[in-house]
Amino acid sequence: QVQLVESGGGLVQAGGSLRLSCAASGRTFSTYAMGWFRQAPGKERVFVTGISRSGSTTSYVDSVKGRFTISRDNSKNTVYLQMNSLKPEDTAAYYCAASNLIVAPTTRDRYDYWGQGTQVTVSS
């Protein structure tokens, strides 16, 4: 069992920045690809970005490319999401997830563990 705890969410003005963190329990963090998903009210949870086990490969949904950066520090069992140039449409609950695959998949069904989420609200 792996426990994931997100932090760093909050209220920010459009154009501002936030850095989300996801701390994982256990000593096998480096064996998981990690992903960030988000879910706005009334909408389904969708993929935002993912990172491979080693951190060598990343992927992003088109709407956040150039603005968001995913990274990981396996020595700290933590994955990060740096969010710059935030827009109101980025407002959502953000969830961290872990997959047993080497490269982060883009669909929810391929992830094995989920955090409880952290709220990001971007005001105009």
Short mmCIF file of all heavy atoms in Angstrom, two decimals, residues 10-57:
data_model
loop_
_atom_site.label_atom_id
_atom_site.label_comp_id
_atom_site.label_asym_id
_atom_site.label_seq_id
_atom_site.Cartn_x
_atom_site.Cartn_y
_atom_site.Cartn_z
N GLY A 10 -4.20 26.36 -3.08
CA GLY A 10 -4.65 27.60 -2.48
C GLY A 10 -5.30 28.50 -3.49
O GLY A 10 -5.63 28.09 -4.61
N LEU A 11 -5.50 29.74 -3.09
CA LEU A 11 -6.11 30.76 -3.94
C LEU A 11 -5.03 31.67 -4.49
O LEU A 11 -4.19 32.17 -3.75
CB LEU A 11 -7.12 31.57 -3.12
CG LEU A 11 -7.79 32.75 -3.82
CD1 LEU A 11 -8.64 32.27 -4.98
CD2 LEU A 11 -8.63 33.53 -2.82
N VAL A 12 -5.06 31.88 -5.79
CA VAL A 12 -4.06 32.72 -6.45
C VAL A 12 -4.72 33.51 -7.57
O VAL A 12 -5.70 33.05 -8.16
CB VAL A 12 -2.89 31.86 -6.98
CG1 VAL A 12 -3.37 30.92 -8.08
CG2 VAL A 12 -1.74 32.72 -7.46
N GLN A 13 -4.19 34.68 -7.85
CA GLN A 13 -4.69 35.48 -8.96
C GLN A 13 -4.21 34.94 -10.29
O GLN A 13 -3.16 34.30 -10.38
CB GLN A 13 -4.21 36.93 -8.83
CG GLN A 13 -4.99 37.78 -7.85
CD GLN A 13 -4.63 39.23 -7.97
OE1 GLN A 13 -3.50 39.62 -7.77
NE2 GLN A 13 -5.62 40.06 -8.31
N ALA A 14 -4.98 35.19 -11.33
CA ALA A 14 -4.57 34.81 -12.67
C ALA A 14 -3.19 35.39 -12.97
O ALA A 14 -2.92 36.55 -12.66
CB ALA A 14 -5.59 35.28 -13.69
N GLY A 15 -2.33 34.58 -13.57
CA GLY A 15 -0.98 35.00 -13.85
C GLY A 15 0.01 34.63 -12.77
O GLY A 15 1.23 34.72 -12.98
N GLY A 16 -0.50 34.20 -11.63
CA GLY A 16 0.35 33.83 -10.52
C GLY A 16 0.85 32.40 -10.60
O GLY A 16 0.59 31.69 -11.57
N SER A 17 1.55 31.98 -9.56
CA SER A 17 2.17 30.66 -9.53
C SER A 17 1.87 29.93 -8.23
O SER A 17 1.65 30.55 -7.18
CB SER A 17 3.68 30.77 -9.68
OG SER A 17 4.05 31.36 -10.91
N LEU A 18 1.87 28.62 -8.31
CA LEU A 18 1.78 27.74 -7.16
C LEU A 18 2.67 26.54 -7.41
O LEU A 18 2.88 26.15 -8.57
CB LEU A 18 0.35 27.25 -6.93
CG LEU A 18 -0.67 28.22 -6.33
CD1 LEU A 18 -2.05 27.56 -6.35
CD2 LEU A 18 -0.29 28.61 -4.92
N ARG A 19 3.17 25.95 -6.35
CA ARG A 19 3.89 24.69 -6.46
C ARG A 19 3.21 23.65 -5.58
O ARG A 19 3.14 23.81 -4.36
CB ARG A 19 5.36 24.82 -6.05
CG ARG A 19 6.14 23.53 -6.37
CD ARG A 19 7.61 23.63 -6.04
NE ARG A 19 7.86 23.51 -4.61
CZ ARG A 19 9.03 23.16 -4.08
NH1 ARG A 19 10.06 22.89 -4.87
NH2 ARG A 19 9.17 23.10 -2.77
N LEU A 20 2.72 22.61 -6.21
CA LEU A 20 2.10 21.52 -5.50
C LEU A 20 3.14 20.45 -5.19
O LEU A 20 4.06 20.22 -5.97
CB LEU A 20 0.97 20.89 -6.31
CG LEU A 20 -0.13 21.83 -6.83
CD1 LEU A 20 -1.21 21.02 -7.53
CD2 LEU A 20 -0.71 22.67 -5.70
N SER A 21 2.97 19.80 -4.06
CA SER A 21 3.83 18.69 -3.68
C SER A 21 2.99 17.47 -3.40
O SER A 21 1.86 17.57 -2.93
CB SER A 21 4.65 19.04 -2.44
OG SER A 21 5.52 20.13 -2.67
N CYS A 22 3.55 16.32 -3.69
CA CYS A 22 2.90 15.05 -3.38
C CYS A 22 3.92 14.18 -2.68
O CYS A 22 4.91 13.76 -3.29
CB CYS A 22 2.40 14.38 -4.65
SG CYS A 22 1.73 12.72 -4.41
N ALA A 23 3.69 13.92 -1.41
CA ALA A 23 4.60 13.11 -0.61
C ALA A 23 4.07 11.68 -0.54
O ALA A 23 2.90 11.46 -0.22
CB ALA A 23 4.74 13.69 0.79
N ALA A 24 4.95 10.73 -0.82
CA ALA A 24 4.57 9.32 -0.83
C ALA A 24 5.19 8.58 0.34
O ALA A 24 6.33 8.84 0.72
CB ALA A 24 5.00 8.66 -2.14
N SER A 25 4.44 7.66 0.88
CA SER A 25 4.96 6.80 1.94
C SER A 25 5.74 5.65 1.34
O SER A 25 5.65 5.36 0.15
CB SER A 25 3.80 6.26 2.79
OG SER A 25 2.97 5.41 2.02
N GLY A 26 6.53 4.99 2.17
CA GLY A 26 7.25 3.81 1.74
C GLY A 26 8.61 4.09 1.14
O GLY A 26 8.99 5.24 0.91
N ARG A 27 9.32 3.01 0.84
CA ARG A 27 10.68 3.11 0.31
C ARG A 27 10.77 2.70 -1.15
O ARG A 27 11.88 2.57 -1.67
CB ARG A 27 11.61 2.24 1.15
CG ARG A 27 11.21 0.77 1.21
CD ARG A 27 12.05 0.01 2.19
NE ARG A 27 11.68 -1.40 2.27
CZ ARG A 27 12.18 -2.27 3.11
NH1 ARG A 27 13.11 -1.88 3.98
NH2 ARG A 27 11.77 -3.52 3.09
N THR A 28 9.65 2.50 -1.81
CA THR A 28 9.62 2.06 -3.20
C THR A 28 9.10 3.13 -4.14
O THR A 28 8.63 2.82 -5.23
CB THR A 28 8.78 0.79 -3.36
OG1 THR A 28 7.44 1.03 -2.91
CG2 THR A 28 9.39 -0.36 -2.56
N PHE A 29 9.20 4.38 -3.76
CA PHE A 29 8.71 5.49 -4.56
C PHE A 29 9.27 5.48 -5.98
O PHE A 29 8.56 5.76 -6.94
CB PHE A 29 9.03 6.81 -3.86
CG PHE A 29 8.61 8.03 -4.63
CD1 PHE A 29 7.28 8.36 -4.77
CD2 PHE A 29 9.57 8.86 -5.21
CE1 PHE A 29 6.88 9.49 -5.47
CE2 PHE A 29 9.19 9.99 -5.90
CZ PHE A 29 7.85 10.31 -6.03
N SER A 30 10.55 5.15 -6.11
CA SER A 30 11.20 5.19 -7.41
C SER A 30 10.72 4.11 -8.37
O SER A 30 11.07 4.14 -9.55
CB SER A 30 12.73 5.09 -7.24
OG SER A 30 13.09 3.84 -6.67
N THR A 31 9.93 3.17 -7.91
CA THR A 31 9.39 2.12 -8.77
C THR A 31 8.07 2.53 -9.42
O THR A 31 7.51 1.76 -10.20
CB THR A 31 9.19 0.81 -8.00
OG1 THR A 31 8.14 0.96 -7.04
CG2 THR A 31 10.47 0.40 -7.29
N TYR A 32 7.58 3.71 -9.12
CA TYR A 32 6.31 4.18 -9.65
C TYR A 32 6.48 5.36 -10.58
O TYR A 32 7.20 6.31 -10.27
CB TYR A 32 5.37 4.60 -8.51
CG TYR A 32 4.98 3.48 -7.58
CD1 TYR A 32 5.68 3.27 -6.40
CD2 TYR A 32 3.91 2.65 -7.90
CE1 TYR A 32 5.32 2.23 -5.55
CE2 TYR A 32 3.55 1.62 -7.04
CZ TYR A 32 4.26 1.42 -5.87
OH TYR A 32 3.90 0.39 -5.03
N ALA A 33 5.79 5.29 -11.71
CA ALA A 33 5.58 6.49 -12.50
C ALA A 33 4.52 7.31 -11.78
O ALA A 33 3.63 6.75 -11.12
CB ALA A 33 5.11 6.14 -13.91
N MET A 34 4.60 8.62 -11.88
CA MET A 34 3.69 9.50 -11.15
C MET A 34 2.95 10.42 -12.10
O MET A 34 3.49 10.85 -13.12
CB MET A 34 4.46 10.33 -10.12
CG MET A 34 5.25 9.52 -9.10
SD MET A 34 4.18 8.53 -8.01
CE MET A 34 3.29 9.83 -7.15
N GLY A 35 1.73 10.73 -11.73
CA GLY A 35 0.94 11.63 -12.54
C GLY A 35 0.14 12.60 -11.70
O GLY A 35 -0.11 12.37 -10.51
N TRP A 36 -0.23 13.71 -12.33
CA TRP A 36 -1.15 14.67 -11.73
C TRP A 36 -2.41 14.72 -12.59
O TRP A 36 -2.34 14.82 -13.82
CB TRP A 36 -0.54 16.07 -11.66
CG TRP A 36 0.51 16.25 -10.61
CD1 TRP A 36 1.86 16.18 -10.77
CD2 TRP A 36 0.29 16.57 -9.23
NE1 TRP A 36 2.50 16.42 -9.59
CE2 TRP A 36 1.56 16.66 -8.62
CE3 TRP A 36 -0.85 16.79 -8.46
CZ2 TRP A 36 1.71 16.96 -7.27
CZ3 TRP A 36 -0.70 17.08 -7.12
CH2 TRP A 36 0.58 17.16 -6.54
N PHE A 37 -3.54 14.65 -11.92
CA PHE A 37 -4.84 14.79 -12.56
C PHE A 37 -5.57 15.96 -11.91
O PHE A 37 -5.21 16.39 -10.82
CB PHE A 37 -5.68 13.52 -12.38
CG PHE A 37 -5.23 12.36 -13.22
CD1 PHE A 37 -4.06 11.68 -12.93
CD2 PHE A 37 -5.99 11.93 -14.30
CE1 PHE A 37 -3.64 10.60 -13.69
CE2 PHE A 37 -5.59 10.85 -15.08
CZ PHE A 37 -4.42 10.19 -14.77
N ARG A 38 -6.59 16.47 -12.58
CA ARG A 38 -7.40 17.51 -11.97
C ARG A 38 -8.87 17.30 -12.30
O ARG A 38 -9.21 16.70 -13.32
CB ARG A 38 -6.94 18.91 -12.41
CG ARG A 38 -7.12 19.23 -13.88
CD ARG A 38 -6.48 20.58 -14.19
NE ARG A 38 -6.63 20.97 -15.57
CZ ARG A 38 -6.05 22.02 -16.12
NH1 ARG A 38 -5.26 22.80 -15.38
NH2 ARG A 38 -6.25 22.32 -17.40
N GLN A 39 -9.71 17.79 -11.41
CA GLN A 39 -11.14 17.63 -11.57
C GLN A 39 -11.87 18.89 -11.13
O GLN A 39 -11.77 19.30 -9.97
CB GLN A 39 -11.64 16.43 -10.76
CG GLN A 39 -13.10 16.11 -10.96
CD GLN A 39 -13.49 14.79 -10.32
OE1 GLN A 39 -12.83 14.33 -9.40
NE2 GLN A 39 -14.54 14.17 -10.83
N ALA A 40 -12.56 19.50 -12.07
CA ALA A 40 -13.37 20.67 -11.78
C ALA A 40 -14.79 20.21 -11.44
O ALA A 40 -15.21 19.12 -11.84
CB ALA A 40 -13.39 21.61 -12.98
N PRO A 41 -15.56 21.03 -10.72
CA PRO A 41 -16.92 20.65 -10.36
C PRO A 41 -17.76 20.28 -11.58
O PRO A 41 -17.77 21.01 -12.57
CB PRO A 41 -17.47 21.89 -9.67
CG PRO A 41 -16.26 22.55 -9.10
CD PRO A 41 -15.18 22.32 -10.13
N GLY A 42 -18.44 19.16 -11.51
CA GLY A 42 -19.29 18.72 -12.60
C GLY A 42 -18.57 18.10 -13.77
O GLY A 42 -19.21 17.76 -14.77
N LYS A 43 -17.25 17.94 -13.68
CA LYS A 43 -16.48 17.36 -14.76
C LYS A 43 -15.72 16.13 -14.28
O LYS A 43 -15.54 15.91 -13.10
CB LYS A 43 -15.51 18.39 -15.34
CG LYS A 43 -16.18 19.60 -15.95
CD LYS A 43 -15.18 20.54 -16.58
CE LYS A 43 -15.85 21.73 -17.22
NZ LYS A 43 -14.87 22.66 -17.84
N GLU A 44 -15.27 15.32 -15.23
CA GLU A 44 -14.52 14.12 -14.87
C GLU A 44 -13.07 14.47 -14.57
O GLU A 44 -12.56 15.51 -14.97
CB GLU A 44 -14.61 13.09 -16.00
CG GLU A 44 -13.94 13.51 -17.28
CD GLU A 44 -14.02 12.42 -18.34
OE1 GLU A 44 -14.43 11.30 -18.02
OE2 GLU A 44 -13.67 12.71 -19.51
N ARG A 45 -12.42 13.57 -13.86
CA ARG A 45 -11.01 13.74 -13.54
C ARG A 45 -10.17 13.44 -14.77
O ARG A 45 -10.30 12.39 -15.39
CB ARG A 45 -10.63 12.79 -12.39
CG ARG A 45 -9.28 13.07 -11.78
CD ARG A 45 -9.06 12.18 -10.54
NE ARG A 45 -10.10 12.40 -9.54
CZ ARG A 45 -10.14 11.79 -8.36
NH1 ARG A 45 -9.18 10.93 -8.03
NH2 ARG A 45 -11.12 12.03 -7.52
N VAL A 46 -9.30 14.38 -15.13
CA VAL A 46 -8.52 14.26 -16.35
C VAL A 46 -7.03 14.39 -16.09
O VAL A 46 -6.60 15.04 -15.14
CB VAL A 46 -8.95 15.30 -17.41
CG1 VAL A 46 -10.39 15.08 -17.83
CG2 VAL A 46 -8.77 16.71 -16.87
N PHE A 47 -6.25 13.78 -16.96
CA PHE A 47 -4.80 13.81 -16.88
C PHE A 47 -4.26 15.20 -17.16
O PHE A 47 -4.73 15.89 -18.06
CB PHE A 47 -4.24 12.81 -17.90
CG PHE A 47 -2.75 12.81 -18.03
CD1 PHE A 47 -1.96 12.11 -17.14
CD2 PHE A 47 -2.12 13.50 -19.05
CE1 PHE A 47 -0.58 12.09 -17.25
CE2 PHE A 47 -0.75 13.50 -19.18
CZ PHE A 47 0.03 12.78 -18.28
N VAL A 48 -3.26 15.59 -16.39
CA VAL A 48 -2.60 16.88 -16.59
C VAL A 48 -1.14 16.67 -17.01
O VAL A 48 -0.69 17.21 -18.03
CB VAL A 48 -2.64 17.74 -15.32
CG1 VAL A 48 -1.89 19.06 -15.55
CG2 VAL A 48 -4.07 18.01 -14.91
N THR A 49 -0.40 15.90 -16.23
CA THR A 49 1.01 15.68 -16.51
C THR A 49 1.49 14.42 -15.81
O THR A 49 0.91 13.99 -14.81
CB THR A 49 1.85 16.90 -16.05
OG1 THR A 49 3.24 16.67 -16.31
CG2 THR A 49 1.66 17.16 -14.56
N GLY A 50 2.55 13.83 -16.34
CA GLY A 50 3.11 12.63 -15.74
C GLY A 50 4.61 12.58 -15.90
O GLY A 50 5.19 13.26 -16.75
N ILE A 51 5.24 11.76 -15.06
CA ILE A 51 6.70 11.63 -15.07
C ILE A 51 7.07 10.17 -14.84
O ILE A 51 6.44 9.47 -14.05
CB ILE A 51 7.32 12.56 -14.00
CG1 ILE A 51 8.84 12.61 -14.14
CG2 ILE A 51 6.91 12.15 -12.60
CD1 ILE A 51 9.47 13.75 -13.34
N SER A 52 8.09 9.71 -15.56
CA SER A 52 8.54 8.33 -15.46
C SER A 52 9.23 8.05 -14.14
O SER A 52 9.50 8.96 -13.35
CB SER A 52 9.48 8.00 -16.62
OG SER A 52 10.65 8.80 -16.56
N ARG A 53 9.52 6.79 -13.90
CA ARG A 53 10.14 6.38 -12.64
C ARG A 53 11.39 7.17 -12.30
O ARG A 53 11.58 7.61 -11.16
CB ARG A 53 10.49 4.89 -12.69
CG ARG A 53 9.29 3.96 -12.67
CD ARG A 53 9.77 2.53 -12.76
NE ARG A 53 8.68 1.57 -12.69
CZ ARG A 53 8.84 0.26 -12.79
NH1 ARG A 53 10.05 -0.26 -12.96
NH2 ARG A 53 7.79 -0.54 -12.71
N SER A 54 12.26 7.33 -13.28
CA SER A 54 13.53 8.00 -13.06
C SER A 54 13.45 9.51 -13.20
O SER A 54 14.38 10.22 -12.80
CB SER A 54 14.58 7.47 -14.03
OG SER A 54 14.26 7.85 -15.36
N GLY A 55 12.37 10.00 -13.77
CA GLY A 55 12.24 11.42 -14.04
C GLY A 55 12.76 11.84 -15.39
O GLY A 55 12.74 13.02 -15.72
N SER A 56 13.20 10.87 -16.19
CA SER A 56 13.80 11.19 -17.48
C SER A 56 12.78 11.54 -18.56
O SER A 56 13.13 12.19 -19.55
CB SER A 56 14.67 10.03 -17.96
OG SER A 56 13.89 8.86 -18.15
N THR A 57 11.54 11.11 -18.37
CA THR A 57 10.51 11.35 -19.37
C THR A 57 9.30 12.01 -18.72
O THR A 57 8.82 11.55 -17.68
CB THR A 57 10.07 10.04 -20.04
OG1 THR A 57 11.20 9.40 -20.64
CG2 THR A 57 9.02 10.30 -21.11
#
